[in-house]
Amino acid sequence: MDITFGLDTYGTCVGQLIDELSPLTELAKAWRFPYHIAFMWRVLPESYGRKTFRRMDSRDQTLTLDMSIPYEKYLRMSKNEQREALGIELYSYLAESIAKYKKYAGTEDQQQLLAKVRRWMLENNWLEGKIGQARELLAQDMGLYEVSQQLHMPLEEVEYILIRMSGYEQTDEHPDNIVAGKATPYHL
């Protein structure tokens, strides 16, 4: 089976994060599933009014999942936060979508695919990654430095997580996105 990812964005870390999914794409080639899945992520301003949709093309045996993601929300997130937020959205939309097309893939096939994808996502910090772990440790009153050391995260990011847990909502662009914006958008 093929799992592919496409992207339409600017100014966020999503362009860098999509590259992290290439091992999943390669791994999926060895999996058996009745159809292919093509993800398209559109991280665009909400003013565009772009909606998320899915479409099954029975001729190509491809399920297309076109996901609209609010640019404004991701602009304020760190790269790690974006990874985990994308992971949650990707996994939940995948589960919801393949369940909708039961006539193309039985329950057992669906469960096996979701288990494989979930396992990969957990192993690679796309689900229940460092951000969630840091929140749990900070909620248990573990010190910033200890959390930073235990999770191998920069102290600044752990501080940022604690501040966000205290109700602070960042209103400007996260520094990770500024760095990502200065990188070349495509591999040359």
Side-chain angles (χ1 to χ4, degrees), residues 90-160:
L90 183 152
Y91 186 79
S92 63
Y93 196 57
L94 174 64
E96 174 187 317
S97 297
I98 64 173
K100 188 172 180 102
Y101 295 100
K102 290 179 183 171
K103 77 176 191 177
Y104 295 100
T107 304
E108 186 177 327
D109 287 336
Q110 292 177 28
Q111 290 174 347
Q112 287 177 3
L113 175 65
L114 290 173
K116 290 174 184 176
V117 170
R118 181 171 177 75
R119 186 174 329 124
W120 185 90
M121 294 177 87
L122 287 168
E123 290 171 359
N124 292 280
N125 292 318
W126 279 78
L127 287 175
E128 301 174 21
K130 290 183 179 185
I131 299 295
Q133 293 172 29
R135 285 187 181 121
E136 287 178 24
L137 293 173
L138 290 168
Q140 297 170 9
D141 291 327
M142 182 180 269
L144 295 171
Y145 181 76
E146 289 80 13
V147 172
S148 171
Q149 292 299 303
Q150 183 171 333
L151 298 177
H152 305 288
M153 290 177 72
L155 184 58
E156 296 82 20
E157 187 162 15
V158 177
E159 290 174 327
Y160 172 75

Side-chain angles (χ1 to χ4, degrees), residues 12-74:
T12 66
C13 297
V14 178
Q16 296 170 345
L17 292 171
I18 203 165
D19 292 339
E20 293 181 14
L21 294 168
S22 57
L24 176 61
T25 298
E26 289 300 314
L27 194 59
K29 289 179 182 180
W31 298 345
R32 293 199 174 276
F33 196 71
Y35 53 83
H36 307 295
I37 301 172
F39 286 93
M40 182 65 180
W41 284 339
R42 300 184 192 278
V43 186
L44 301 169
E46 291 183 70
S47 63
Y48 285 22
R50 183 99 180 153
K51 300 290 182 205
T52 293
F53 70 90
R54 70 187 124 234
R55 177 179 39 245
M56 173 58 84
D57 185 338
S58 56
R59 288 174 301 171
D60 290 341
Q61 293 186 332
T62 301
L63 173 62
T64 301
L65 304 176
D66 196 309
M67 301 172 65
S68 183
I69 299 164
Y71 166 77
E72 294 83 359
K73 176 181 166 185
Y74 278 65

